Amino acid sequence: MKNKQTTYILLGAVLCVWGMIFMQVGKGLFQGEPESPSPATAGTFTAAATGIPDTFSLSLTYKDPFLKGGEKQSFRSVNLAEARTTTAYQPPPVAPVAVNPAPAVDTTGLERVVYVGMITNADTKRKICIVHAYGKEHMIGEGEKLDRIQFLKAYKDSVKVQFAHKIHYIKRR
């Protein structure tokens, strides 16, 4: 060490600082309940008197921005006895409406088809879908058919197919 005296002085200063820190933490942990100010010592708040009276007044003569056309709304006064004798609002009866359920889509062939991925031919830029269907893996190009499923467009995360004259998307798993 080049300067032992400076090292010892700095070591003493660090120990003093850490000692003060531990002392403050110890006081906080073992002190008990903190003292709350008493009402006598708390003092009272008084607003500073400026000597100038308030000179503003509110002007509420503007139109209501939420009313259509800007007309003023008038309120009629209702006495309490009249309000209690009136009947509650009864909504008009509504005739039941028959709802036709949507026809069920036949997807019995689609749930057995799993889209695995896609490869692209570097020369022809043709996309080939890799699907797992009916227990086997198949490589099918865009526009080709596998049983009743026609593969229209291949994407990274899904493939667009036509099945039973409807367009479906099979997500990659």
Side-chain angles (χ1 to χ4, degrees), residues 30-49:
F30 302 112
Q31 186 176 11
E33 290 295 319
E35 293 182 20
S36 60
S38 65
T41 61
T44 59
F45 174 76
T46 56

Side-chain angles (χ1 to χ4, degrees), residues 74-80 82:
S74 63
F75 297 100
R76 66 180 180 97
S77 61
V78 178
N79 63 12
L80 190 58
E82 178 186 340

Side-chain angles (χ1 to χ4, degrees), residues 26-140:
K27 276 186 192 176
L29 289 177
F30 302 112
Q31 186 176 11
E33 290 295 319
E35 293 182 20
S36 60
S38 65
T41 61
T44 59
F45 174 76
T46 56
T50 59
I52 303 170
D54 290 337
T55 58
F56 66 90
S57 64
L58 298 177
S59 173
L60 304 175
T61 58
Y62 53 87
K63 294 186 285 186
D64 190 354
F66 299 105
L67 291 178
K68 292 183 180 176
E71 65 271 357
K72 291 201 176 218
Q73 186 177 8
S74 63
F75 297 100
R76 66 180 180 97
S77 61
V78 178
N79 63 12
L80 190 58
E82 178 186 340
R84 288 186 180 150
T85 59
T86 59
T87 60
Y89 171 74
Q90 296 291 328
V94 178
V97 177
V99 176
N100 295 333
V105 178
D106 179 32
T107 59
T108 54
L110 280 182
E111 57 264 352
R112 294 185 299 182
V113 178
V114 177
Y115 178 55
V116 179
M118 172 192 68
I119 57 174
T120 306
N121 189 338
D123 296 333
T124 62
K125 305 291 185 198
R126 185 170 177 236
K127 294 179 181 176
I128 308 281
C129 303
I130 303 171
V131 293
H132 186 80
Y134 311 113
K136 296 180 184 177
E137 279 198 0
H138 301 276
M139 295 177 68
I140 300 160

Side-chain angles (χ1 to χ4, degrees), residues 110 112-119 127-133 138-146 149-163 166-173:
L110 280 182
R112 294 185 299 182
V113 178
V114 177
Y115 178 55
V116 179
M118 172 192 68
I119 57 174
K127 294 179 181 176
I128 308 281
C129 303
I130 303 171
V131 293
H132 186 80
H138 301 276
M139 295 177 68
I140 300 160
E142 289 180 338
E144 294 180 10
K145 275 190 166 187
L146 175 68
I149 304 168
Q150 182 176 7
F151 291 82
L152 301 175
K153 183 84 174 146
Y155 303 103
K156 284 183 179 180
D157 61 341
S158 63
V159 64
K160 181 180 179 181
V161 297
Q162 182 177 3
F163 178 75
K166 301 257 189 220
I167 303 292
H168 300 278
Y169 288 90
I170 300 173
K171 297 240 182 230
R172 184 175 176 187
R173 293 186 189 161

